[in-house]
């Protein structure tokens, strides 16, 4: 089992060279900090570094959480800074290269681990430590309902036309892309992926019948669903969603495929344990608040429990890294 400060040694193979970025050596705290010292946190302004552009899901997450976090820490001063370059790698680098004192927080999505698996991000869990996950947005296969009324019609067409089905999503090695790869791997369907620079462009191409479908999370397409323009025909979940009771799940098709687009917070890997614990407890109080839960319900982020603490989420990241590395290497 992985812990906050250790990783299992790996054999020297080509795969291992990639795993090395996740950490294969003992990481130790450089500074001794007591629980009493942690009680004084924060001692200076805090930076929320958002590993994504303004207006997206991760940015919205950070900005919604900000006032709740400030209140929970009795008036802490927080600045939100967007660093979308290189799939958010700049945000991860600035966090990893900064002071390990808990005053620089990296807000990231599943893109952190997908880009790491693709070799696009040099910063792994030997340099960053997860504080907690607060969101796990459900992924789904979306179509223009005028073209495919349900998943069975899509499945039949894909089987009858191998290699002709095209599914779009945001850039290569994005959560959209690995969701597609996981679906193709589990189903055995012969389909192709087309990357776009935004969810909006992928959606426009579905609506224009230029591609057959898109794999993405539910929350970005709420307005399209409400207008009846886009429809989920398969959700990556173990249970049907209450708002879409007629939409089948991947598990119903015996596909072990339930990953979502996570959104979480990371800090420097050498952040002292008492500070890390203080941060985790503070974010848990934010997550449990009525204000945060109302927000999550409003944007359909309450279909599954979003909360994972530091240790549990680290283990999930390690498992997902193995899966995504395999899927991307076979693409």
């Amino acid at each position: 089992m992985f812990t906050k400060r250790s990783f299992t040694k790996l054999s020297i193979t080509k795969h291992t060279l990639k795993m090395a970025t996740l950490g294969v050596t003992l990481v130790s705290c450089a500074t001794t900090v007591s629980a009493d010292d942690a009680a004084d946190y924060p001692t200076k302004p805090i930076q929320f570094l958002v590993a994504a552009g303004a207006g997206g899901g991760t940015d919205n997450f950070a900005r919604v959480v900000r006032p709740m976090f400030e209140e929970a820490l009795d008036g802490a001063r927080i600045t939100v800074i967007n660093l979308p370059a290189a799939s958010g790698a700049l945000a991860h680098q600035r966090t990893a290269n900064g002071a390990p004192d808990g005053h620089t927080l990296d807000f990231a999505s599943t893109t952190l681990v997908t880009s790491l698996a693709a070799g696009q991000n040099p910063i792994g869990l030997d340099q960053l430590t997860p504080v907690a996950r607060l969101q796990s947005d459900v992924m789904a296969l979306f179509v223009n309902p005028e073209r495919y009324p349900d998943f069975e019609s899509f499945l039949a067409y894909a089987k009858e036309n191998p290699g002709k089905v095209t599914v779009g999503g945001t850039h290569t090695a994005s959560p959209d892309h690995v969701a597609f790869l996981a679906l193709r791997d589990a189903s055995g369907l012969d389909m192709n992926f087309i990357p776009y620079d935004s969810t909006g462009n992928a959606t426009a191409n579905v609506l224009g019948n230029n591609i057959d479908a898109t794999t993405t999370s539910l929350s970005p397409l709420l307005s399209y669903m409400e207008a009846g323009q886009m429809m989920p025909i398969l959700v990556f979940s173990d249970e049907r969603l209450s708002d879409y009771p007629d939409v089948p799940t991947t598990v119903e098709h015996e596909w072990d495929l339930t990953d979502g687009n996570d959104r979480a917070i990371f800090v420097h890997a050498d952040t002292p344990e008492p500070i890390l614990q203080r941060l985790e407890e503070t974010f848990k109080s934010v997550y449990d608040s009525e204000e945060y839960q109302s927000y999550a319900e409003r944007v359909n982020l309450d279909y599954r429990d979003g909360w994972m603490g530091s240790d549990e989420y680290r283990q999930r990241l390690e498992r997902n890294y193995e899966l995504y590395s395999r899927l991307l290497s076979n693409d």
Side-chain angles (χ1 to χ4, degrees), residues 159-240:
K159 288 180 176 179
E160 294 168 3
N161 299 274
K164 293 185 178 180
V165 170
T166 53
V167 178
T170 51
H171 57 85
T172 301
S174 67
D176 294 357
H177 185 207
V178 296
F180 163 80
L181 293 176
L183 176 60
R184 187 177 68 178
D185 182 69
S187 66
L189 295 173
D190 185 359
M191 304 182 293
N192 300 298
F193 183 81
I194 299 178
Y196 293 93
D197 61 1
S198 68
T199 298
N201 281 343
T203 302
N205 278 275
V206 174
L207 294 175
N209 292 322
N210 298 316
I211 57 176
D212 294 277
T214 182
T215 44
T216 191
S217 49
L218 288 168
S219 56
L221 297 188
L222 288 178
S223 61
Y224 291 96
M225 288 186 280
E226 291 170 356
Q229 296 175 301
M230 296 283 285
M231 180 177 69
I233 56 172
L234 180 73
V235 293
F236 293 30
S237 174
D238 51 0
E239 296 180 352
R240 294 197 178 196

Side-chain angles (χ1 to χ4, degrees), residues 92-129:
H92 312 324
Q93 289 172 340
R94 282 185 54 172
T95 303
N97 293 333
D101 58 8
H103 290 82
T104 300
L105 306 184
D106 183 357
F107 280 68
S109 70
T110 295
T111 300
L112 183 149
V113 72
T114 60
S115 62
L116 185 62
Q120 300 172 349
N121 170 24
I123 306 299
L125 294 184
D126 57 336
Q127 296 169 274
L128 295 177
T129 288

Side-chain angles (χ1 to χ4, degrees), residues 57-58 61 108-109 133-135 137 217 219 261-264 301:
T58 305
F61 165 49
S109 70
R133 184 194 76 177
L134 273 71
Q135 296 180 0
D137 204 347
S217 49
S219 56
N261 186 9
D262 296 344
R263 297 187 183 94
L301 287 169

Side-chain angles (χ1 to χ4, degrees), residues 7 34 41 46 50-51 63 96 103 127 136 149 196 225 235 241 303 310 312 314 331:
F7 295 85
S34 70
Y41 172 88
I46 296 171
V50 180
R63 294 178 188 278
H103 290 82
Q127 296 169 274
S136 183
Y196 293 93
M225 288 186 280
V235 293
L241 306 184
Y303 288 125
S310 179
E312 185 181 8
R314 175 181 288 274
D331 187 23

Side-chain angles (χ1 to χ4, degrees), residues 8-60:
T8 302
K9 297 279 187 178
L10 301 172
S11 60
I12 304 301
T13 63
K14 181 179 179 181
H15 175 68
T16 305
L17 294 176
K18 293 177 68 180
M19 278 296 291
T21 19
L22 279 174
V24 296
T25 57
L26 183 68
V27 180
S28 61
C29 290
T31 305
T32 300
V33 174
S34 70
D36 289 339
D37 293 330
D40 294 332
Y41 172 88
T43 58
K44 60 184 179 181
I46 296 171
Q47 288 188 336
F48 281 7
L49 303 185
V50 180
T58 305
D59 178 61
N60 186 50

